[in-house]
Amino acid sequence: MSFFLEKETEVDFDFDYETLAKEVVEFSLEHELFPYAAEVNLTLTDNAGIHAINKEYRQIDRPTDVLSFPMLSYEAPGDFSFLSDENEDDFNPDTGEVMLGDIIISVDKVKEQATEYGHSEKREFAFLITHSMLHLFGYDHMEPDEAAVMEEHQRKILDALGITR
């Protein structure tokens, strides 16, 4: 697995966020039985940075907590059967890894929401990565039945990692 972390803002969490991020990404891949080595990019920014991206790509004029930019198109969430070595567009030609996509997290929102929800910044950070990884696997939460499935996967991953509220 290739995991790339870019910091566009000061990150002053009281935990090893780089190690945690990699651990959550790796465990999400294992938990969802992703069949190939993968490449995931994580960018940590502030509210102003994520606001600009949210406005540009989603036409939503406000900051958000996390944005996910999947590189794959799924027929069904978590169904990786469409992937094959023959579909070169899904694989990085230099590494042979599947390019899953990009995750962008607002460090400001991690702090705000941890306080708002009454849990640690570590838990909020891990939750947002898990949530975004599931988006990279094709899950969504626009409809109640989709949300229920996605929330169950999030809960199982975080519980297995021992990261609870």
Short mmCIF file of all heavy atoms in Angstrom, two decimals, residues 82-125:
data_model
loop_
_atom_site.label_atom_id
_atom_site.label_comp_id
_atom_site.label_asym_id
_atom_site.label_seq_id
_atom_site.Cartn_x
_atom_site.Cartn_y
_atom_site.Cartn_z
N PHE A 82 -15.17 -5.77 -10.53
CA PHE A 82 -14.90 -5.13 -11.82
C PHE A 82 -13.42 -4.87 -12.03
O PHE A 82 -12.96 -4.66 -13.16
CB PHE A 82 -15.68 -3.82 -11.95
CG PHE A 82 -15.18 -2.73 -11.04
CD1 PHE A 82 -14.24 -1.83 -11.48
CD2 PHE A 82 -15.64 -2.64 -9.73
CE1 PHE A 82 -13.77 -0.83 -10.63
CE2 PHE A 82 -15.19 -1.65 -8.89
CZ PHE A 82 -14.25 -0.75 -9.33
N LEU A 83 -12.66 -4.87 -10.95
CA LEU A 83 -11.22 -4.60 -11.06
C LEU A 83 -10.51 -5.82 -11.65
O LEU A 83 -10.79 -6.96 -11.26
CB LEU A 83 -10.62 -4.32 -9.68
CG LEU A 83 -10.90 -2.95 -9.10
CD1 LEU A 83 -10.48 -2.91 -7.64
CD2 LEU A 83 -10.18 -1.87 -9.88
N SER A 84 -9.63 -5.57 -12.55
CA SER A 84 -8.78 -6.65 -13.07
C SER A 84 -7.49 -6.04 -13.57
O SER A 84 -7.42 -4.85 -13.90
CB SER A 84 -9.48 -7.42 -14.20
OG SER A 84 -9.45 -6.67 -15.39
N ASP A 85 -6.48 -6.86 -13.61
CA ASP A 85 -5.17 -6.40 -14.09
C ASP A 85 -5.24 -5.89 -15.52
O ASP A 85 -4.37 -5.17 -15.98
CB ASP A 85 -4.14 -7.53 -13.98
CG ASP A 85 -3.91 -7.96 -12.55
OD1 ASP A 85 -4.00 -7.10 -11.66
OD2 ASP A 85 -3.65 -9.15 -12.33
N GLU A 86 -6.28 -6.28 -16.24
CA GLU A 86 -6.42 -5.89 -17.64
C GLU A 86 -6.94 -4.45 -17.80
O GLU A 86 -6.80 -3.87 -18.86
CB GLU A 86 -7.35 -6.86 -18.36
CG GLU A 86 -6.76 -8.26 -18.40
CD GLU A 86 -7.80 -9.33 -18.75
OE1 GLU A 86 -8.91 -8.96 -19.15
OE2 GLU A 86 -7.46 -10.51 -18.61
N ASN A 87 -7.55 -3.91 -16.75
CA ASN A 87 -8.05 -2.55 -16.81
C ASN A 87 -6.99 -1.60 -16.27
O ASN A 87 -7.02 -1.20 -15.11
CB ASN A 87 -9.36 -2.41 -16.03
CG ASN A 87 -10.03 -1.08 -16.28
OD1 ASN A 87 -9.53 -0.26 -17.04
ND2 ASN A 87 -11.16 -0.87 -15.64
N GLU A 88 -6.07 -1.25 -17.12
CA GLU A 88 -4.89 -0.48 -16.71
C GLU A 88 -5.22 0.90 -16.16
O GLU A 88 -4.44 1.46 -15.38
CB GLU A 88 -3.93 -0.35 -17.89
CG GLU A 88 -3.35 -1.67 -18.32
CD GLU A 88 -2.47 -1.54 -19.56
OE1 GLU A 88 -2.25 -0.40 -20.02
OE2 GLU A 88 -2.02 -2.58 -20.04
N ASP A 89 -6.36 1.48 -16.52
CA ASP A 89 -6.70 2.83 -16.08
C ASP A 89 -6.87 2.94 -14.57
O ASP A 89 -6.73 4.03 -14.01
CB ASP A 89 -7.99 3.32 -16.75
CG ASP A 89 -7.81 3.57 -18.23
OD1 ASP A 89 -6.65 3.67 -18.69
OD2 ASP A 89 -8.83 3.65 -18.94
N ASP A 90 -7.17 1.84 -13.90
CA ASP A 90 -7.39 1.85 -12.46
C ASP A 90 -6.10 1.67 -11.66
O ASP A 90 -6.11 1.79 -10.45
CB ASP A 90 -8.38 0.75 -12.05
CG ASP A 90 -9.76 0.98 -12.64
OD1 ASP A 90 -10.13 2.15 -12.86
OD2 ASP A 90 -10.47 -0.01 -12.88
N PHE A 91 -5.00 1.38 -12.35
CA PHE A 91 -3.75 1.06 -11.68
C PHE A 91 -2.68 2.10 -11.99
O PHE A 91 -2.58 2.59 -13.12
CB PHE A 91 -3.24 -0.32 -12.14
CG PHE A 91 -4.12 -1.45 -11.69
CD1 PHE A 91 -5.26 -1.80 -12.40
CD2 PHE A 91 -3.80 -2.18 -10.55
CE1 PHE A 91 -6.07 -2.84 -12.00
CE2 PHE A 91 -4.61 -3.22 -10.13
CZ PHE A 91 -5.75 -3.56 -10.85
N ASN A 92 -1.90 2.43 -10.98
CA ASN A 92 -0.78 3.33 -11.17
C ASN A 92 0.28 2.56 -11.96
O ASN A 92 0.76 1.52 -11.52
CB ASN A 92 -0.23 3.77 -9.81
CG ASN A 92 0.93 4.71 -9.93
OD1 ASN A 92 1.76 4.62 -10.82
ND2 ASN A 92 1.01 5.63 -8.98
N PRO A 93 0.67 3.05 -13.13
CA PRO A 93 1.62 2.30 -13.95
C PRO A 93 3.00 2.17 -13.30
O PRO A 93 3.74 1.24 -13.62
CB PRO A 93 1.70 3.11 -15.25
CG PRO A 93 1.19 4.46 -14.91
CD PRO A 93 0.24 4.29 -13.76
N ASP A 94 3.33 3.06 -12.37
CA ASP A 94 4.64 2.99 -11.72
C ASP A 94 4.69 1.98 -10.59
O ASP A 94 5.73 1.37 -10.35
CB ASP A 94 5.03 4.37 -11.18
CG ASP A 94 5.23 5.39 -12.29
OD1 ASP A 94 5.64 4.99 -13.40
OD2 ASP A 94 4.95 6.57 -12.06
N THR A 95 3.56 1.81 -9.88
CA THR A 95 3.56 0.93 -8.70
C THR A 95 2.73 -0.33 -8.88
O THR A 95 2.88 -1.27 -8.11
CB THR A 95 3.01 1.68 -7.48
OG1 THR A 95 1.64 2.00 -7.71
CG2 THR A 95 3.81 2.95 -7.19
N GLY A 96 1.81 -0.32 -9.83
CA GLY A 96 0.90 -1.45 -10.00
C GLY A 96 -0.24 -1.45 -9.00
O GLY A 96 -1.04 -2.37 -8.96
N GLU A 97 -0.33 -0.39 -8.18
CA GLU A 97 -1.38 -0.31 -7.17
C GLU A 97 -2.64 0.35 -7.73
O GLU A 97 -2.55 1.22 -8.60
CB GLU A 97 -0.89 0.50 -5.96
CG GLU A 97 0.26 -0.16 -5.24
CD GLU A 97 0.84 0.72 -4.16
OE1 GLU A 97 0.93 1.95 -4.36
OE2 GLU A 97 1.20 0.18 -3.10
N VAL A 98 -3.79 -0.07 -7.20
CA VAL A 98 -5.05 0.57 -7.57
C VAL A 98 -5.07 1.96 -6.97
O VAL A 98 -4.79 2.15 -5.78
CB VAL A 98 -6.26 -0.25 -7.06
CG1 VAL A 98 -7.56 0.51 -7.31
CG2 VAL A 98 -6.30 -1.61 -7.71
N MET A 99 -5.41 2.95 -7.80
CA MET A 99 -5.51 4.33 -7.32
C MET A 99 -6.92 4.51 -6.76
O MET A 99 -7.87 4.74 -7.52
CB MET A 99 -5.22 5.29 -8.47
CG MET A 99 -3.80 5.16 -9.00
SD MET A 99 -3.45 6.23 -10.42
CE MET A 99 -4.49 5.50 -11.67
N LEU A 100 -7.05 4.39 -5.44
CA LEU A 100 -8.37 4.48 -4.81
C LEU A 100 -8.92 5.90 -4.83
O LEU A 100 -10.10 6.11 -5.11
CB LEU A 100 -8.32 3.99 -3.37
CG LEU A 100 -8.62 2.53 -3.14
CD1 LEU A 100 -8.57 2.21 -1.66
CD2 LEU A 100 -9.95 2.13 -3.73
N GLY A 101 -8.10 6.86 -4.48
CA GLY A 101 -8.58 8.23 -4.49
C GLY A 101 -7.97 9.09 -3.41
O GLY A 101 -6.99 8.72 -2.78
N ASP A 102 -8.61 10.24 -3.22
CA ASP A 102 -8.09 11.27 -2.31
C ASP A 102 -9.08 11.55 -1.19
O ASP A 102 -10.29 11.57 -1.41
CB ASP A 102 -7.86 12.58 -3.08
CG ASP A 102 -6.86 12.41 -4.21
OD1 ASP A 102 -5.85 11.72 -4.02
OD2 ASP A 102 -7.11 12.97 -5.30
N ILE A 103 -8.51 11.81 -0.02
CA ILE A 103 -9.27 12.20 1.16
C ILE A 103 -8.73 13.56 1.59
O ILE A 103 -7.51 13.75 1.67
CB ILE A 103 -9.08 11.19 2.31
CG1 ILE A 103 -9.55 9.80 1.90
CG2 ILE A 103 -9.78 11.68 3.58
CD1 ILE A 103 -9.15 8.70 2.89
N ILE A 104 -9.63 14.50 1.86
CA ILE A 104 -9.22 15.82 2.35
C ILE A 104 -9.98 16.06 3.65
O ILE A 104 -11.21 15.96 3.68
CB ILE A 104 -9.53 16.92 1.32
CG1 ILE A 104 -8.83 16.60 0.00
CG2 ILE A 104 -9.11 18.29 1.86
CD1 ILE A 104 -9.23 17.48 -1.15
N ILE A 105 -9.25 16.36 4.71
CA ILE A 105 -9.85 16.57 6.03
C ILE A 105 -9.49 17.95 6.55
O ILE A 105 -8.32 18.37 6.47
CB ILE A 105 -9.37 15.49 7.03
CG1 ILE A 105 -9.92 14.12 6.63
CG2 ILE A 105 -9.77 15.84 8.47
CD1 ILE A 105 -9.46 12.97 7.50
N SER A 106 -10.48 18.63 7.11
CA SER A 106 -10.24 19.90 7.78
C SER A 106 -9.85 19.62 9.23
O SER A 106 -10.64 19.09 10.01
CB SER A 106 -11.50 20.77 7.76
OG SER A 106 -11.35 21.84 8.67
N VAL A 107 -8.62 19.99 9.58
CA VAL A 107 -8.15 19.84 10.96
C VAL A 107 -9.02 20.68 11.90
O VAL A 107 -9.34 20.25 13.02
CB VAL A 107 -6.66 20.23 11.07
CG1 VAL A 107 -6.19 20.28 12.51
CG2 VAL A 107 -5.81 19.26 10.25
N ASP A 108 -9.43 21.86 11.43
CA ASP A 108 -10.31 22.71 12.25
C ASP A 108 -11.61 21.98 12.58
O ASP A 108 -12.09 22.02 13.72
CB ASP A 108 -10.65 24.01 11.50
CG ASP A 108 -9.44 24.89 11.25
OD1 ASP A 108 -8.46 24.82 12.02
OD2 ASP A 108 -9.48 25.66 10.26
N LYS A 109 -12.19 21.31 11.59
CA LYS A 109 -13.46 20.59 11.82
C LYS A 109 -13.26 19.39 12.74
O LYS A 109 -14.15 19.07 13.53
CB LYS A 109 -14.08 20.14 10.49
CG LYS A 109 -14.70 21.27 9.69
CD LYS A 109 -15.96 21.76 10.35
CE LYS A 109 -16.65 22.79 9.48
NZ LYS A 109 -17.81 23.39 10.15
N VAL A 110 -12.12 18.73 12.65
CA VAL A 110 -11.84 17.62 13.57
C VAL A 110 -11.94 18.13 15.00
O VAL A 110 -12.61 17.52 15.85
CB VAL A 110 -10.46 16.99 13.31
CG1 VAL A 110 -10.08 16.02 14.42
CG2 VAL A 110 -10.42 16.28 11.95
N LYS A 111 -11.30 19.25 15.27
CA LYS A 111 -11.30 19.82 16.62
C LYS A 111 -12.70 20.28 17.03
O LYS A 111 -13.16 19.97 18.13
CB LYS A 111 -10.30 20.97 16.69
CG LYS A 111 -8.86 20.52 16.54
CD LYS A 111 -7.90 21.69 16.49
CE LYS A 111 -6.47 21.23 16.46
NZ LYS A 111 -6.02 20.57 17.67
N GLU A 112 -13.39 20.99 16.14
CA GLU A 112 -14.74 21.49 16.43
C GLU A 112 -15.70 20.33 16.72
O GLU A 112 -16.46 20.37 17.69
CB GLU A 112 -15.28 22.28 15.24
CG GLU A 112 -14.60 23.60 14.97
CD GLU A 112 -14.98 24.19 13.61
OE1 GLU A 112 -16.05 23.83 13.06
OE2 GLU A 112 -14.20 25.02 13.10
N GLN A 113 -15.68 19.32 15.87
CA GLN A 113 -16.64 18.23 15.99
C GLN A 113 -16.32 17.32 17.17
O GLN A 113 -17.24 16.78 17.80
CB GLN A 113 -16.74 17.45 14.67
CG GLN A 113 -17.40 18.28 13.60
CD GLN A 113 -17.49 17.65 12.22
OE1 GLN A 113 -18.06 18.26 11.35
NE2 GLN A 113 -16.95 16.47 12.02
N ALA A 114 -15.06 17.15 17.49
CA ALA A 114 -14.71 16.36 18.68
C ALA A 114 -15.32 17.00 19.92
O ALA A 114 -15.91 16.32 20.76
CB ALA A 114 -13.20 16.24 18.81
N THR A 115 -15.21 18.31 20.01
CA THR A 115 -15.80 19.04 21.13
C THR A 115 -17.32 18.94 21.08
O THR A 115 -17.97 18.63 22.09
CB THR A 115 -15.36 20.52 21.10
OG1 THR A 115 -13.93 20.55 21.21
CG2 THR A 115 -15.99 21.31 22.22
N GLU A 116 -17.89 19.18 19.91
CA GLU A 116 -19.35 19.16 19.75
C GLU A 116 -19.95 17.80 20.09
O GLU A 116 -21.00 17.71 20.73
CB GLU A 116 -19.69 19.52 18.30
CG GLU A 116 -21.17 19.53 17.99
CD GLU A 116 -21.46 19.86 16.53
OE1 GLU A 116 -20.59 20.45 15.85
OE2 GLU A 116 -22.56 19.52 16.07
N TYR A 117 -19.28 16.72 19.68
CA TYR A 117 -19.82 15.37 19.89
C TYR A 117 -19.34 14.74 21.20
O TYR A 117 -19.75 13.62 21.53
CB TYR A 117 -19.48 14.46 18.72
CG TYR A 117 -20.05 14.94 17.40
CD1 TYR A 117 -19.28 14.95 16.25
CD2 TYR A 117 -21.36 15.41 17.30
CE1 TYR A 117 -19.79 15.39 15.03
CE2 TYR A 117 -21.88 15.85 16.09
CZ TYR A 117 -21.10 15.83 14.97
OH TYR A 117 -21.61 16.27 13.77
N GLY A 118 -18.45 15.42 21.90
CA GLY A 118 -18.00 14.93 23.20
C GLY A 118 -17.09 13.72 23.15
O GLY A 118 -17.14 12.88 24.04
N HIS A 119 -16.27 13.64 22.13
CA HIS A 119 -15.28 12.57 22.11
C HIS A 119 -13.92 13.15 21.72
O HIS A 119 -13.79 14.35 21.49
CB HIS A 119 -15.70 11.40 21.20
CG HIS A 119 -16.04 11.78 19.80
ND1 HIS A 119 -17.27 11.54 19.25
CD2 HIS A 119 -15.32 12.40 18.83
CE1 HIS A 119 -17.29 11.97 17.99
NE2 HIS A 119 -16.13 12.49 17.72
N SER A 120 -12.91 12.30 21.65
CA SER A 120 -11.56 12.78 21.42
C SER A 120 -11.33 13.19 19.96
O SER A 120 -12.04 12.74 19.05
CB SER A 120 -10.55 11.69 21.80
OG SER A 120 -10.64 10.61 20.87
N GLU A 121 -10.32 14.02 19.78
CA GLU A 121 -9.91 14.38 18.42
C GLU A 121 -9.42 13.15 17.68
O GLU A 121 -9.65 13.01 16.47
CB GLU A 121 -8.82 15.46 18.47
CG GLU A 121 -9.33 16.78 18.99
CD GLU A 121 -8.26 17.83 19.16
OE1 GLU A 121 -7.07 17.56 18.85
OE2 GLU A 121 -8.59 18.95 19.63
N LYS A 122 -8.78 12.24 18.39
CA LYS A 122 -8.31 11.00 17.78
C LYS A 122 -9.49 10.21 17.21
O LYS A 122 -9.42 9.72 16.08
CB LYS A 122 -7.58 10.15 18.82
CG LYS A 122 -7.09 8.83 18.30
CD LYS A 122 -6.37 8.04 19.38
CE LYS A 122 -5.93 6.68 18.85
NZ LYS A 122 -5.23 5.91 19.89
N ARG A 123 -10.57 10.12 17.96
CA ARG A 123 -11.74 9.38 17.49
C ARG A 123 -12.36 10.07 16.28
O ARG A 123 -12.71 9.43 15.30
CB ARG A 123 -12.77 9.26 18.62
CG ARG A 123 -13.86 8.22 18.34
CD ARG A 123 -14.99 8.78 17.55
NE ARG A 123 -16.00 7.75 17.27
CZ ARG A 123 -16.92 7.90 16.35
NH1 ARG A 123 -16.98 8.99 15.62
NH2 ARG A 123 -17.80 6.95 16.12
N GLU A 124 -12.46 11.39 16.32
CA GLU A 124 -13.06 12.12 15.20
C GLU A 124 -12.20 11.97 13.94
O GLU A 124 -12.73 11.75 12.85
CB GLU A 124 -13.24 13.60 15.56
CG GLU A 124 -13.97 14.41 14.52
CD GLU A 124 -15.42 14.00 14.29
OE1 GLU A 124 -16.03 13.32 15.17
OE2 GLU A 124 -15.97 14.35 13.23
N PHE A 125 -10.90 12.08 14.09
CA PHE A 125 -9.98 11.95 12.97
C PHE A 125 -10.10 10.55 12.35
O PHE A 125 -10.24 10.41 11.13
CB PHE A 125 -8.56 12.22 13.46
CG PHE A 125 -7.50 12.21 12.41
CD1 PHE A 125 -7.43 13.21 11.46
CD2 PHE A 125 -6.53 11.21 12.39
CE1 PHE A 125 -6.42 13.22 10.50
CE2 PHE A 125 -5.52 11.21 11.44
CZ PHE A 125 -5.46 12.21 10.48
#
